[in-house]
Amino acid sequence: PQAEAGVIGDPYRFGIVLLLLLATFIFLASGPTGDWVPLVAVVLQGATLLAAFTASGVGRRLWRLALVVVFAALVSSSAAVFFGGKWISGSLFLLNLFLVGAAPVVIINSLVRRRVIDLRTVLGAVCVYVLIGMMWSFAFTAIGTFDSRAFFAQQSNATVADYLYFSFVTMTTTGYGDLTAAHGLGRALAVLEALIGQLYLVTVIALLVSNLSRRGRATQPEV
């Protein structure tokens, strides 16, 4: 579809959003440590948020508001690097959580508004699924940073990569058992993530893929 009037860029191009999510995943999964890690995460998530807003075809006013929020987040996270401390790091992970949490909302709204099921729609739905996993990983990281107790029962010094791994293993209900939440809040959130992840897969993704394949068969010429 052609670019809509009053929006930034060509809407529904979710491939770029997926590439940014892959870059974020690779960076976090590599297990970096240090006070600079939340800053880089904010940069990546800010870029992802702006790409998601662009792909979702939001209006210029809303896009500019997102740009202001991302700029403020970058300034705050840059200043926080010089202070350090667990409360600063935890606050930055919460900031990442809010940045990630805004993207699925605008993507889902755009997919509902579009009312077309094609490859771009499926890519948008996949982006939402990956964003959900990252959102929960930042929530777990913030809890583990703020809490004086260890988040995991198996280790006391968890890294960002551990929380990311735990989030996606939980969301996909793989359940290796090598990392488990040690306390009530972590366990409750892990169960909630598993439920949301499975409900999303068996409803949204399955529905989109089945309708896409049905649409493809309907457009095939009869022999």
Side-chain angles (χ1 to χ4, degrees):
Q2 295 180 347
E4 300 175 5
V7 303
I8 300 293
D10 187 7
Y12 312 118
R13 293 190 177 274
F14 294 106
I16 297 176
V17 181
L18 198 57
L19 287 176
L20 286 170
L21 289 173
L22 179 61
T24 305
F25 184 89
I26 292 174
F27 168 72
L28 295 177
S30 64
T33 57
D35 295 334
W36 56 274
V37 174
L39 170 60
V40 178
V42 167
V43 172
L44 291 171
Q45 294 306 325
T48 303
L49 179 64
L50 293 178
F53 270 52
T54 302
S56 300
V58 300
R60 293 180 181 274
R61 182 176 300 178
L62 188 58
W63 196 91
R64 288 168 181 165
L65 176 62
L67 186 62
V68 171
V69 171
V70 170
F71 179 76
L74 290 176
V75 172
S76 301
S77 57
S78 299
V81 170
F82 298 99
F83 297 98
K86 75 172 187 176
W87 289 100
I88 298 296
S89 298
S91 299
L92 290 179
F93 283 119
L94 283 178
L95 180 59
N96 275 290
L97 170 63
F98 292 128
L99 289 176
V100 174
V105 175
V106 296
I107 292 176
I108 292 174
N109 181 64
S110 72
L111 296 181
V112 172
R113 185 177 69 246
R114 191 178 183 217
R115 298 182 180 276
V116 175
I117 298 178
D118 56 10
L119 182 58
R120 291 187 178 185
T121 309
V122 175
L123 282 176
V126 171
C127 287
V128 171
Y129 185 72
V130 177
L131 283 164
I132 291 173
M134 288 189 174
M135 183 177 67
W136 283 101
S137 73
F138 287 129
F140 295 140
T141 306
I143 293 172
T145 303
F146 286 127
D147 200 340
S148 57
R149 303 171 298 177
F151 183 86
F152 296 115
Q154 291 79 6
Q155 65 184 66
S156 56
N157 296 315
T159 65
V160 177
D162 292 326
Y163 290 110
L164 185 69
Y165 167 79
F166 175 72
S167 176
F168 279 93
V169 167
T170 300
M171 186 171 66
T172 57
T173 64
T174 305
Y176 290 122
D178 51 347
L179 288 176
T180 56
H183 306 289
L185 179 59
R187 291 173 180 173
L189 291 179
V191 172
L192 184 59
E193 181 187 13
L195 288 174
I196 292 175
Q198 287 306 294
L199 288 174
Y200 188 85
L201 280 180
V202 301
T203 55
V204 178
I205 297 295
L207 182 63
L208 289 177
V209 172
S210 63
N211 278 282
L212 182 62
S213 61
R214 188 182 303 116
R215 179 170 174 259
R217 290 194 300 267
T219 56
Q220 289 180 353
E222 296 183 0
V223 179

